[in-house]
Amino acid sequence: QVRLVESGGGLVQPGGSLRLSCAASGTVIRFKTMGWYRQAPGQQRELVASSTIGGTTNYADSVKGRFTISRDNNKNALYLQMNSLKPDDTAVYYCNFVSSLVDWGQGTQVTVSS
């Protein structure tokens, strides 16, 4: 059974940084296009960053230039470095595959507020 566990969220002031981690088990992420998603209160879940097996990364316009997705295939882990955080980045962040979603993990809360 595939399990995705996100961590690293927290409360940060505008302009601050956080690094999110996603630990995957029951699967091997090196063969998968992986993504970071977020869901703000009252809004739909959206894909904000993705990483293909070939190393190509893509970002939503709202986070481009501020967020960096990376992976460590040896550790079966996915990361999201978030810099220059804004209040609009406040959301629960999740990792998952991009083309074949599996059960969502519990996510990690990111709150950007002064």
Side-chain angles (χ1 to χ4, degrees), residues 13-36:
Q13 292 186 342
S17 298
L18 285 173
R19 185 176 187 246
L20 307 184
S21 299
C22 169
S25 59
T27 187
V28 179
I29 71 165
R30 71 171 67 242
F31 303 122
K32 304 285 188 178
T33 295
M34 299 293 299
W36 280 99

Side-chain angles (χ1 to χ4, degrees), residues 2-24:
V2 177
R3 185 171 182 230
L4 303 170
V5 179
E6 302 89 352
S7 62
L11 173 63
V12 63
Q13 292 186 342
S17 298
L18 285 173
R19 185 176 187 246
L20 307 184
S21 299
C22 169

Side-chain angles (χ1 to χ4, degrees), residues 71-110:
R71 61 168 72 198
D72 186 333
N73 289 330
N74 291 328
K75 294 183 178 180
N76 221 32
L78 187 73
Y79 306 100
L80 186 68
Q81 178 66 44
M82 306 187 297
N83 298 328
S84 302
L85 283 162
K86 304 175 181 180
D88 284 349
D89 296 318
T90 295
V92 180
Y93 285 72
Y94 305 86
C95 63
N96 211 316
F97 305 126
V98 172
S99 58
S100 301
L101 295 174
V102 295
D103 288 345
W104 296 96
Q106 84 287 350
T108 187
Q109 175 71 49
V110 171

